[in-house]
mmCIF file of all heavy atoms in Angstrom:
data_model
loop_
_atom_site.group_PDB
_atom_site.id
_atom_site.type_symbol
_atom_site.label_atom_id
_atom_site.label_comp_id
_atom_site.label_asym_id
_atom_site.label_seq_id
_atom_site.Cartn_x
_atom_site.Cartn_y
_atom_site.Cartn_z
ATOM 1 N N TYR A 214 9.869 7.384 26.016
ATOM 2 C CA TYR A 214 9.939 8.646 25.288
ATOM 3 C C TYR A 214 9.774 8.418 23.793
ATOM 4 O O TYR A 214 9.083 9.160 23.119
ATOM 5 C CB TYR A 214 11.266 9.350 25.566
ATOM 6 C CG TYR A 214 11.433 10.597 24.742
ATOM 7 C CD1 TYR A 214 10.695 11.743 25.043
ATOM 8 C CD2 TYR A 214 12.277 10.636 23.645
ATOM 9 C CE1 TYR A 214 10.819 12.886 24.272
ATOM 10 C CE2 TYR A 214 12.407 11.759 22.875
ATOM 11 C CZ TYR A 214 11.677 12.883 23.200
ATOM 12 O OH TYR A 214 11.792 14.001 22.427
ATOM 13 N N LEU A 215 10.405 7.371 23.280
ATOM 14 C CA LEU A 215 10.301 7.088 21.854
ATOM 15 C C LEU A 215 8.882 6.675 21.488
ATOM 16 O O LEU A 215 8.437 6.922 20.371
ATOM 17 C CB LEU A 215 11.292 5.998 21.446
ATOM 18 C CG LEU A 215 12.758 6.394 21.516
ATOM 19 C CD1 LEU A 215 13.641 5.197 21.199
ATOM 20 C CD2 LEU A 215 13.069 7.535 20.582
ATOM 21 N N GLY A 216 8.175 6.056 22.387
ATOM 22 C CA GLY A 216 6.797 5.675 22.115
ATOM 23 C C GLY A 216 5.874 6.885 22.044
ATOM 24 O O GLY A 216 4.949 6.929 21.249
ATOM 25 N N ARG A 217 6.132 7.877 22.890
ATOM 26 C CA ARG A 217 5.288 9.070 22.895
ATOM 27 C C ARG A 217 5.598 10.003 21.737
ATOM 28 O O ARG A 217 4.729 10.720 21.263
ATOM 29 C CB ARG A 217 5.463 9.809 24.216
ATOM 30 C CG ARG A 217 4.850 9.079 25.381
ATOM 31 C CD ARG A 217 4.810 9.962 26.607
ATOM 32 N NE ARG A 217 6.130 10.429 27.010
ATOM 33 C CZ ARG A 217 6.887 9.869 27.931
ATOM 34 N NH1 ARG A 217 6.471 8.803 28.553
ATOM 35 N NH2 ARG A 217 8.055 10.366 28.238
ATOM 36 N N SER A 218 6.835 10.044 21.301
ATOM 37 C CA SER A 218 7.217 10.940 20.206
ATOM 38 C C SER A 218 7.526 10.134 18.947
ATOM 39 O O SER A 218 8.480 10.412 18.249
ATOM 40 C CB SER A 218 8.429 11.781 20.608
ATOM 41 O OG SER A 218 9.534 10.930 20.798
ATOM 42 N N GLY A 219 6.702 9.143 18.679
ATOM 43 C CA GLY A 219 6.951 8.227 17.578
ATOM 44 C C GLY A 219 6.979 8.876 16.213
ATOM 45 O O GLY A 219 7.608 8.380 15.298
ATOM 46 N N GLY A 220 6.307 10.007 16.038
ATOM 47 C CA GLY A 220 6.282 10.652 14.734
ATOM 48 C C GLY A 220 7.566 11.359 14.368
ATOM 49 O O GLY A 220 7.773 11.719 13.221
ATOM 50 N N ARG A 221 8.436 11.572 15.365
ATOM 51 C CA ARG A 221 9.663 12.330 15.104
ATOM 52 C C ARG A 221 10.911 11.469 15.078
ATOM 53 O O ARG A 221 12.004 11.985 14.903
ATOM 54 C CB ARG A 221 9.814 13.412 16.163
ATOM 55 C CG ARG A 221 8.743 14.478 16.048
ATOM 56 C CD ARG A 221 8.863 15.450 17.150
ATOM 57 N NE ARG A 221 8.082 14.893 18.272
ATOM 58 C CZ ARG A 221 7.920 15.479 19.424
ATOM 59 N NH1 ARG A 221 8.487 16.625 19.666
ATOM 60 N NH2 ARG A 221 7.196 14.931 20.373
ATOM 61 N N THR A 222 10.761 10.195 15.259
ATOM 62 C CA THR A 222 11.932 9.325 15.275
ATOM 63 C C THR A 222 12.373 8.990 13.850
ATOM 64 O O THR A 222 11.572 9.068 12.921
ATOM 65 C CB THR A 222 11.630 8.018 16.027
ATOM 66 O OG1 THR A 222 10.588 7.327 15.336
ATOM 67 C CG2 THR A 222 11.211 8.289 17.454
ATOM 68 N N PRO A 223 13.615 8.609 13.691
ATOM 69 C CA PRO A 223 14.071 8.201 12.345
ATOM 70 C C PRO A 223 13.299 7.000 11.812
ATOM 71 O O PRO A 223 13.065 6.893 10.611
ATOM 72 C CB PRO A 223 15.551 7.858 12.557
ATOM 73 C CG PRO A 223 15.952 8.591 13.784
ATOM 74 C CD PRO A 223 14.726 8.683 14.638
ATOM 75 N N GLU A 224 12.896 6.095 12.698
ATOM 76 C CA GLU A 224 12.127 4.935 12.267
ATOM 77 C C GLU A 224 10.775 5.348 11.708
ATOM 78 O O GLU A 224 10.296 4.796 10.716
ATOM 79 C CB GLU A 224 11.939 3.948 13.420
ATOM 80 C CG GLU A 224 13.205 3.250 13.849
ATOM 81 C CD GLU A 224 14.031 4.091 14.821
ATOM 82 O OE1 GLU A 224 13.505 5.075 15.380
ATOM 83 O OE2 GLU A 224 15.223 3.769 14.995
ATOM 84 N N ALA A 225 10.132 6.327 12.356
ATOM 85 C CA ALA A 225 8.835 6.810 11.876
ATOM 86 C C ALA A 225 8.991 7.524 10.537
ATOM 87 O O ALA A 225 8.145 7.380 9.649
ATOM 88 C CB ALA A 225 8.210 7.740 12.903
ATOM 89 N N LEU A 226 10.056 8.263 10.384
ATOM 90 C CA LEU A 226 10.312 8.946 9.120
ATOM 91 C C LEU A 226 10.562 7.943 8.004
ATOM 92 O O LEU A 226 10.037 8.090 6.892
ATOM 93 C CB LEU A 226 11.508 9.887 9.269
ATOM 94 C CG LEU A 226 11.835 10.775 8.084
ATOM 95 C CD1 LEU A 226 10.681 11.722 7.799
ATOM 96 C CD2 LEU A 226 13.103 11.559 8.350
ATOM 97 N N LEU A 227 11.317 6.900 8.296
ATOM 98 C CA LEU A 227 11.577 5.861 7.307
ATOM 99 C C LEU A 227 10.295 5.123 6.931
ATOM 100 O O LEU A 227 10.058 4.817 5.760
ATOM 101 C CB LEU A 227 12.617 4.886 7.850
ATOM 102 C CG LEU A 227 13.136 3.825 6.898
ATOM 103 C CD1 LEU A 227 13.803 4.473 5.689
ATOM 104 C CD2 LEU A 227 14.108 2.918 7.610
ATOM 105 N N SER A 228 9.450 4.884 7.919
ATOM 106 C CA SER A 228 8.166 4.227 7.657
ATOM 107 C C SER A 228 7.277 5.103 6.775
ATOM 108 O O SER A 228 6.617 4.603 5.855
ATOM 109 C CB SER A 228 7.464 3.933 8.981
ATOM 110 O OG SER A 228 6.196 3.403 8.763
ATOM 111 N N LYS A 229 7.287 6.394 7.029
ATOM 112 C CA LYS A 229 6.484 7.325 6.230
ATOM 113 C C LYS A 229 6.951 7.328 4.777
ATOM 114 O O LYS A 229 6.137 7.253 3.846
ATOM 115 C CB LYS A 229 6.595 8.731 6.823
ATOM 116 C CG LYS A 229 5.893 9.793 6.033
ATOM 117 C CD LYS A 229 6.127 11.158 6.660
ATOM 118 C CE LYS A 229 5.594 12.254 5.792
ATOM 119 N NZ LYS A 229 5.882 13.579 6.346
ATOM 120 N N TRP A 230 8.247 7.389 4.562
ATOM 121 C CA TRP A 230 8.773 7.420 3.192
ATOM 122 C C TRP A 230 8.597 6.086 2.484
ATOM 123 O O TRP A 230 8.472 6.032 1.263
ATOM 124 C CB TRP A 230 10.227 7.876 3.192
ATOM 125 C CG TRP A 230 10.314 9.366 3.346
ATOM 126 C CD1 TRP A 230 10.659 10.063 4.458
ATOM 127 C CD2 TRP A 230 9.974 10.338 2.352
ATOM 128 N NE1 TRP A 230 10.582 11.411 4.218
ATOM 129 C CE2 TRP A 230 10.164 11.607 2.927
ATOM 130 C CE3 TRP A 230 9.543 10.259 1.044
ATOM 131 C CZ2 TRP A 230 9.925 12.782 2.239
ATOM 132 C CZ3 TRP A 230 9.314 11.445 0.354
ATOM 133 C CH2 TRP A 230 9.500 12.678 0.945
ATOM 134 N N THR A 231 8.559 4.996 3.245
ATOM 135 C CA THR A 231 8.276 3.694 2.645
ATOM 136 C C THR A 231 6.853 3.666 2.109
ATOM 137 O O THR A 231 6.594 3.148 1.016
ATOM 138 C CB THR A 231 8.484 2.570 3.676
ATOM 139 O OG1 THR A 231 9.811 2.641 4.179
ATOM 140 C CG2 THR A 231 8.240 1.208 3.061
ATOM 141 N N LYS A 232 5.929 4.226 2.869
ATOM 142 C CA LYS A 232 4.533 4.285 2.411
ATOM 143 C C LYS A 232 4.397 5.162 1.171
ATOM 144 O O LYS A 232 3.663 4.829 0.244
ATOM 145 C CB LYS A 232 3.639 4.803 3.534
ATOM 146 C CG LYS A 232 3.521 3.833 4.682
ATOM 147 C CD LYS A 232 2.771 4.438 5.841
ATOM 148 C CE LYS A 232 2.840 3.509 7.043
ATOM 149 N NZ LYS A 232 2.300 4.125 8.255
ATOM 150 N N ILE A 233 5.115 6.269 1.144
ATOM 151 C CA ILE A 233 5.069 7.153 -0.025
ATOM 152 C C ILE A 233 5.644 6.442 -1.251
ATOM 153 O O ILE A 233 5.090 6.522 -2.360
ATOM 154 C CB ILE A 233 5.829 8.467 0.273
ATOM 155 C CG1 ILE A 233 5.057 9.291 1.297
ATOM 156 C CG2 ILE A 233 6.055 9.273 -1.008
ATOM 157 C CD1 ILE A 233 5.811 10.488 1.829
ATOM 158 N N ALA A 234 6.744 5.718 -1.067
ATOM 159 C CA ALA A 234 7.340 4.975 -2.183
ATOM 160 C C ALA A 234 6.405 3.869 -2.670
ATOM 161 O O ALA A 234 6.336 3.591 -3.870
ATOM 162 C CB ALA A 234 8.682 4.384 -1.760
ATOM 163 N N ALA A 235 5.668 3.241 -1.751
ATOM 164 C CA ALA A 235 4.722 2.198 -2.147
ATOM 165 C C ALA A 235 3.583 2.778 -2.978
ATOM 166 O O ALA A 235 3.165 2.194 -3.987
ATOM 167 C CB ALA A 235 4.173 1.491 -0.915
#
Side-chain angles (χ1 to χ4, degrees):
Y214 175 73
L215 292 175
R217 289 191 301 264
S218 65
R221 293 176 273 182
T222 62
E224 291 83 15
L226 185 62
L227 187 60
S228 175
K229 176 183 172 183
W230 282 104
T231 303
K232 292 173 188 172
I233 291 171

